[in-house]
Amino acid sequence: MWLVAEVFAGRLTSLAEIPVLHAGGAQRRGGKGEGGERPMLSMDGLCIELVPAQRCATRRIGLASKNSRSDGSSQLPATISVRAYLISLHREGNRKAVPFSDAAANHPGQFVQKFVDGHKIPVDNAEAERTWYFDLKDNIVNEEMSGIINYGTYGFSSTLKDGVTKKQVFKRKANDIEEVPLFFKFWFPQNSDKGFVIFQSFQGRSCISLIMTQIRDQYAAISGDLRIGFSKLVPSMSARSAFGRSTVKRVTFVKKSAPSDRADSYLGPTAADKVNYVLSFSTPRRAGLGPFSGIYDKIHGAQTGVYVVHGLEFDQATAEVMVGEAKRRVGIFGDSADAGLIEVTDQIKRGADGHPTYKSIKGECDQILEDFYNQVHGIDI
């Protein structure tokens, strides 16, 4: 089993500002390095991220590793993630779900169909400096709607340059809109009082809140005391579920805004008062850490706001889980914004534009929604 620790400290403007790490500093079984007392952790590699003074970009530089490479090939591509939500109805002031039949002419499937059809031209949110509109590609009327959300941002200027010649090719003005394509799918299974929706994000960009807010507001305006609700879906941890039975390949713990003395013990005095540090456990290619249900029960059940590993307290944890042939990254505990976030970067295929091909992202999302359908309806898979 491999153990990797990453320590992130304050801003550095040059390599000369990095404290020197002596060659004997990484111990096999812990103990003192030349920098004094250090935590009892064994490391075969070390990297550091540099943030320039103007914070234009972050550079991740390997300082020591058994299998270090200098060609940059270890860098991850732009992250592609998805979030799924359960769609339900409730009455104003009461969160208990009610049958879709109570909605009569305002069945959620019919309403969402009209909503998608009615937003095929850009919607401009001037306050947020965002635009969005649907490009519907697959449609089973009132039941399944999937396609692309063209999500635009504006409000700032920038210069676009040729990646080879470094010459300017375009000067973006503050009112120019930069659009990225994001996959979406609404699904209202027949004879069910539960609907589903899944949204893609790209490098953290997403328009989920903008769309869900408009759906809630517009439905409330026509439905009397009925309200449409969205509940974030998190993969089931049951030992009977697809996620629960699946093998965990990596578990990552994160501690944010920790006292800098932890970094000081590795790097010497740092300029930062607070640091973030990450601890990651993974296995060789054909091995695994165990089934997700067992690891989830141990980590989530034992934590009361923090989880202690090697004497270090962490407040977030995620796991990479092999579900069939697909690797899914899901939150175990911590930041609620990451709960239910499923990364599909390694599963999708990219087009020439660097974005997922429609066929590949749709295939992944169809599978994920089917898993959630079975989970919500108590079906073993």
Side-chain angles (χ1 to χ4, degrees):
M1 182 172 68
W2 301 101
L3 169 62
V4 180
E6 299 179 3
V7 180
F8 304 92
R11 293 187 177 185
L12 301 172
T13 56
S14 73
L15 283 172
E17 296 183 34
I18 302 174
V20 174
L21 299 181
H22 297 283
Q27 306 288 317
R28 277 289 174 192
R29 299 185 180 276
K32 291 184 178 180
E34 294 192 32
E37 201 72 38
R38 291 180 180 165
M40 301 287 284
L41 296 177
S42 170
M43 287 176 282
D44 292 321
L46 177 65
C47 69
I48 193 163
E49 292 194 359
L50 305 183
V51 183
Q54 279 123 23
R55 205 170 180 82
C56 303
T58 299
R59 305 290 182 232
R60 188 167 190 242
I61 301 175
L63 300 184
S65 174
K66 277 187 172 182
N67 301 298
S68 60
R69 302 184 66 172
S70 59
D71 59 1
S73 59
S74 62
Q75 293 184 346
L76 293 176
T79 302
I80 307 297
S81 300
V82 297
R83 287 183 174 89
Y85 296 81
L86 186 70
I87 302 173
S88 60
L89 286 182
H90 62 275
R91 299 198 179 277
E92 186 176 13
N94 187 342
R95 301 302 300 177
K96 183 180 179 180
V98 300
F100 283 179
S101 57
D102 285 11
N106 294 319
H107 184 284
Q110 297 174 357
F111 172 80
V112 170
Q113 180 75 64
K114 294 177 182 177
F115 182 86
V116 172
D117 290 340
H119 291 81
K120 293 182 178 179
I121 59 174
V123 178
D124 186 5
N125 187 317
E127 182 178 354
E129 297 181 329
R130 300 289 187 268
T131 65
W132 61 270
Y133 61 97
F134 293 112
D135 178 8
L136 185 61
K137 295 186 178 296
D138 292 293
N139 189 27
I140 301 175
V141 178
N142 301 336
E143 184 177 341
E144 292 187 26
M145 296 134 267
S146 61
I148 296 296
I149 301 169
N150 292 287
Y151 176 50
T153 59
Y154 61 94
F156 61 93
S157 62
S158 62
T159 300
L160 302 184
K161 295 183 177 181
D162 184 284
V164 177
T165 66
K166 310 305 179 185
K167 293 183 178 179
Q168 177 178 318
V169 294
F170 182 73
K171 180 69 174 179
R172 168 180 165 158
K173 301 182 296 295
N175 60 351
D176 288 335
I177 298 172
E178 179 187 6
E179 285 188 351
V180 293
L182 304 174
F183 178 83
F184 78 94
K185 179 176 179 177
F186 289 95
W187 179 32
F188 296 89
Q190 294 183 4
N191 304 316
S192 175
D193 287 326
K194 298 177 177 66
F196 300 83
V197 62
I198 192 166
F199 295 103
Q200 177 214 331
S201 64
F202 177 79
Q203 290 182 312
R205 301 187 194 184
S206 171
C207 53
I208 296 173
S209 61
L210 295 176
I211 293 175
M212 290 197 303
T213 297
Q214 286 215 16
I215 290 177
R216 288 193 192 100
D217 292 347
Q218 292 185 21
Y219 189 80
I222 65 169
S223 61
D225 67 341
L226 284 177
R227 299 292 180 265
I228 197 166
F230 297 89
S231 303
K232 189 180 295 184
L233 287 167
V234 178
S236 172
M237 310 315 166
S238 166
R240 298 179 302 168
S241 71
F243 271 90
R245 295 195 309 266
S246 297
T247 299
V248 174
K249 300 295 292 183
R250 180 187 298 270
V251 175
T252 301
F253 298 92
V254 180
K255 176 64 176 178
K256 292 186 176 181
S257 299
S260 62
D261 57 354
R262 181 64 61 182
D264 293 346
S265 63
Y266 286 98
L267 307 177
T270 61
D273 294 327
K274 299 287 186 179
V275 299
N276 301 333
Y277 54 85
V278 179
L279 182 67
S280 182
F281 295 89
S282 62
T283 65
R285 185 172 184 178
R286 299 183 182 278
L289 293 170
F292 191 22
S293 59
I295 289 177
Y296 178 86
D297 288 345
K298 177 176 174 59
I299 295 174
H300 192 270
Q303 64 92 21
T304 54
V306 297
Y307 188 76
V308 180
V309 183
H310 289 292
L312 308 178
E313 293 185 348
F314 295 90
D315 47 30
Q316 294 181 26
T318 60
E320 291 183 4
V321 188
M322 292 300 299
V323 183
E325 297 297 319
K327 184 185 294 182
R328 309 288 189 206
R329 183 172 177 241
V330 296
I332 298 178
F333 75 87
D335 188 348
S336 60
D338 289 335
L341 184 69
I342 302 175
E343 186 178 333
V344 296
T345 304
D346 295 335
Q347 285 69 57
I348 54 91
K349 294 181 179 179
R350 296 176 186 267
D353 59 1
H355 293 283
T357 64
Y358 179 77
K359 181 179 179 180
S360 71
I361 189 69
K362 183 178 186 300
E364 287 299 312
C365 289
D366 286 349
Q367 179 182 330
I368 292 170
L369 284 183
E370 183 177 347
D371 290 343
F372 278 126
Y373 175 90
N374 291 325
Q375 174 182 321
V376 167
H377 288 83
I379 302 172
D380 291 344
I381 52 177

